[in-house]
Amino acid sequence: MYAESITTKERKTKSSSFTHNQTPNDMNLRYEEMLSQREAGLLRVFLKLSNINPRLDCYEKYRINDTDRLAYGHEECLILDGLWKPKPIPDDLYTATKYNNDLAWIIMSSKNTGSQLHFDPDHMGAWNLLLTGQKWWAIVPYEANVDDFTCISDCSHPDWEDGSNAYPWFQHILPQLKDTRFYGKKVIQFIQRPGEVLYLPNKMPHSILNLEDNVALTENYLFNDGLTELTRSISLDLIRNHLPEWNESLAYRILYNGMQVNSLDRKKMRMTYETMESISRKFDDVC
């Protein structure tokens, strides 16, 4: 898998996110840089699921003779091909809108690397299956401003600028936050172990420290809890400049009338759209 990650011909495109300046898809390490980071134990490789070629020989290993059925254990092949999804997780609502959601990876991480405090792009949540190793998660339980709970570059080691360097946050910031209550809730902490799946709702800032070398399968999805924020972005015309080819008006109608959206979701979408439109008209010189 590591060999595939360095030989894959990535389809490099400009970041298509309308909420983030960069996503892991914008990483562009040269082979020499990748080897250097690997030797230093600082490497994190994001292998896009859309770039994985199916391993047909894996399925043949589980094929029941003279049938099209696969024996128990073939899920291994689906996972390595990026085709597996935990059953309780609903489908990505963006799929029906033709939004190019390519934010899905098999991630290979070295020990002591991680992700600094962030929330997922474009009003999406995420799910994460850990295949090997262990991850330490810290999740701030409300829509926090990430900048309020992060290290200050001016008084931090230069290595802090590397987004994969999460250890300083766990060492210095988390101890100050762990007993703080945010609307009655504390920071959520836990160790994720192999075989465990994490569901992460929209707008939940989180940081990750890799306690061991590990491999994970993860995808960002638009869930129902992101519809209100998406409606706000559409009504305030915050998407068009970033995704001019995406028809957000049509997307709104598709989502509003979709089978996965209930009456309460629709009510929230209507109220948000009407409120934002009213504010835009009232403060036309600002909005």
Side-chain angles (χ1 to χ4, degrees):
M1 185 178 293
Y2 176 78
E4 178 172 343
S5 71
I6 62 177
T7 57
T8 296
K9 301 298 183 183
E10 291 280 355
R11 296 184 290 275
K12 295 296 180 185
T13 58
K14 182 180 178 182
S15 177
S16 60
S17 171
F18 56 86
T19 61
H20 289 51
N21 293 327
Q22 285 188 319
T23 71
N25 289 344
D26 301 305
M27 298 170 61
N28 190 16
L29 286 178
R30 297 194 310 273
Y31 179 56
E32 295 79 8
E33 293 174 321
M34 191 175 291
L35 288 180
S36 176
Q37 289 193 14
R38 185 189 187 197
E39 291 173 0
L42 301 174
L43 184 62
R44 297 179 76 213
V45 175
F46 287 76
L47 178 58
K48 286 201 298 186
L49 300 190
S50 60
N51 284 336
I52 295 178
N53 296 317
R55 298 166 175 81
L56 299 181
D57 56 331
C58 180
Y59 296 96
E60 287 299 327
K61 182 172 65 174
Y62 290 100
R63 184 179 301 280
I64 299 175
N65 292 337
D66 300 324
T67 72
D68 292 330
R69 293 182 293 127
L70 298 174
Y72 176 78
H74 74 277
E75 291 83 3
E76 167 196 353
C77 310
L78 296 174
I79 290 171
L80 294 179
D81 283 346
L83 300 174
W84 182 87
K85 178 173 73 72
K87 290 183 179 180
I89 302 296
D91 293 333
D92 179 15
L93 293 177
Y94 270 137
T95 302
T97 71
K98 308 304 180 184
Y99 166 89
N100 182 27
N101 184 6
D102 202 14
L103 302 177
W105 310 274
I106 288 180
I107 308 176
M108 292 161 278
S109 305
S110 298
K111 179 181 178 180
N112 291 333
T113 61
S115 296
Q116 295 177 13
L117 190 67
H118 68 284
F119 58 86
D120 292 317
D122 297 357
H123 312 308
M124 288 188 277
W127 62 267
N128 183 295
L129 166 66
L130 190 61
L131 303 176
T132 67
Q134 297 188 83
K135 290 179 179 286
W136 179 4
W137 290 76
I139 304 172
V140 178
Y142 83 119
E143 297 179 12
N145 180 359
V146 170
D147 291 339
D148 291 340
F149 303 102
T150 191
C151 293
I152 301 173
S153 298
D154 293 344
C155 60
S156 301
H157 191 280
D159 287 347
W160 170 249
E161 298 298 331
D162 179 1
S164 294
N165 185 13
Y167 180 76
W169 191 89
F170 279 82
Q171 183 181 32
H172 300 292
I173 304 297
L174 182 57
Q176 301 177 58
L177 296 179
K178 66 182 183 68
D179 294 322
T180 302
R181 289 188 176 273
F182 302 93
Y183 299 98
K185 297 182 179 180
K186 292 184 177 182
V187 173
I188 303 169
Q189 296 187 63
F190 59 90
I191 306 299
Q192 185 184 20
R193 295 180 170 82
E196 295 179 343
V197 177
L198 164 75
Y199 160 69
L200 189 68
N202 168 54
K203 297 291 283 186
M204 297 286 280
H206 53 283
S207 186
I208 307 159
L209 181 63
N210 294 303
L211 300 178
E212 301 173 349
D213 292 352
N214 64 70
V215 178
L217 171 64
T218 186
E219 294 192 73
N220 287 136
Y221 279 7
L222 176 66
F223 298 121
N224 291 53
D225 61 5
L227 289 172
T228 301
E229 286 294 319
L230 178 61
T231 300
R232 177 182 178 277
S233 293
I234 291 174
S235 61
L236 294 179
D237 199 19
L238 300 178
I239 302 176
R240 193 187 315 275
N241 289 339
H242 301 276
L243 301 174
E245 71 285 355
W246 191 54
N247 189 334
E248 65 262 36
S249 296
L250 177 60
Y252 176 86
R253 294 195 295 272
I254 291 173
L255 291 170
Y256 184 86
N257 295 303
M259 295 293 292
Q260 291 178 250
V261 178
N262 58 40
S263 59
L264 181 58
D265 292 327
R266 294 189 179 94
K267 181 178 180 180
K268 290 179 179 178
M269 292 173 71
R270 284 198 311 273
M271 292 178 64
T272 299
Y273 198 94
E274 292 167 0
T275 300
M276 293 299 104
E277 286 281 286
S278 175
I279 293 174
S280 296
R281 288 192 297 270
K282 187 175 181 180
F283 301 99
D284 184 58
D285 57 330
V286 177
C287 297

